[in-house]
Amino acid sequence: MEKRREKLIKAFLEKNSQINLSAIRDEEWVYVKHILDALEIQNVFDLEEWMQVCDVGTWWWFPLLPLAMEYPDVSFVWMDSVRKKIDAIWDIAKQLWIKNIELVRKRAEEYKDKQFDVITARAVAYVDKLLPRTKHLLKQGWVRILFKQVDEQERWDLEDLCHSMNLRLEYEHKYSLFEWDIDRVIYVVRRLGGTWKPM
């Protein structure tokens, strides 16, 4: 395992012992369930060095920190309203010399400073809440990348939202990280032109 990833895992487990971030307390499982899951994005989308990525309400450090480490020339913005999450991520980013992230203590719907090429969201909210709340963050023609558990009802709701919000479900990637894992899926959803119609 690459040394910086090992440091990330150890830092996560140390912080986890202090503020209980996760029930996972084993190095191998942090690597498999969190880091490998974050890097699964490489099977669905190519992040280019000129892109600006916003990770919305990430499940603590993932996928933000593994992606920032993997793509040091890509700019990442992370936003969440919970101060202890911001502080924990900032501490680890400094320890690991991760310099390509900006942390914003705001809810996604409150952030108006700029728009992004890519929005990532892992285990944040159901699509009927997530997509409307982040609609203003995404540049026209660009994509949201949603890390989800497989849920047929949510997929149907996503298709309905695509019709009403001028979006296109461009790619659906189902995968498992290990034997007997839950069924996971990554959706790549592109913003098309025009205006969206609230449901």
Side-chain angles (χ1 to χ4, degrees), residues 47-51 73-75:
L47 290 175
E48 304 288 347
E49 62 182 34
W50 50 267
M51 290 180 178
D73 296 320
V74 174
S75 297

Side-chain angles (χ1 to χ4, degrees), residues 127-158:
V127 291
D128 66 340
K129 302 286 193 303
L130 178 62
L131 269 60
R133 287 176 183 170
T134 60
K135 65 184 185 296
H136 62 290
L137 296 175
L138 188 63
K139 292 178 182 177
Q140 186 169 306
W142 289 94
V143 299
R144 290 178 182 85
I145 298 175
L146 310 178
F147 294 74
K148 292 284 187 177
Q149 291 186 26
V150 172
D151 180 330
E152 289 304 316
Q153 181 62 56
E154 187 169 29
R155 192 194 185 287
W156 295 335
D157 291 342
L158 175 58

Side-chain angles (χ1 to χ4, degrees), residues 33-49:
K33 291 187 175 183
H34 293 319
I35 293 178
L36 286 187
D37 193 34
L39 297 179
E40 191 70 21
I41 197 173
Q42 295 171 326
N43 290 316
V44 301
F45 191 81
D46 293 324
L47 290 175
E48 304 288 347
E49 62 182 34

Side-chain angles (χ1 to χ4, degrees), residues 68-83:
M69 291 166 60
E70 189 77 10
Y71 298 95
D73 296 320
V74 174
S75 297
F76 291 86
V77 170
W78 181 77
M79 58 187 67
D80 198 287
S81 61
V82 180
R83 185 180 189 90

Side-chain angles (χ1 to χ4, degrees), residues 36 55 62 75 79 88 90 94 96 104 113 116 126 131 137 141 156 169 182 189:
L36 286 187
D55 189 31
F62 309 104
S75 297
M79 58 187 67
W90 187 241
K94 287 190 292 185
L96 298 178
V104 176
D113 293 6
F116 300 90
Y126 200 83
L131 269 60
L137 296 175
W156 295 335
L169 177 55
I182 60 172
V189 181

Side-chain angles (χ1 to χ4, degrees), residues 6 10 18 35 45 52 59 65 69 71-72 93 119 131 133 140 158 181 184 191 195 198:
E6 290 179 358
K10 290 182 185 300
Q18 299 167 3
I35 293 178
F45 191 81
Q52 293 189 318
W59 190 90
L65 293 185
M69 291 166 60
Y71 298 95
I119 294 174
L131 269 60
R133 287 176 183 170
Q140 186 169 306
L158 175 58
D181 188 19
R184 302 173 189 262
R191 179 187 170 189
T195 57

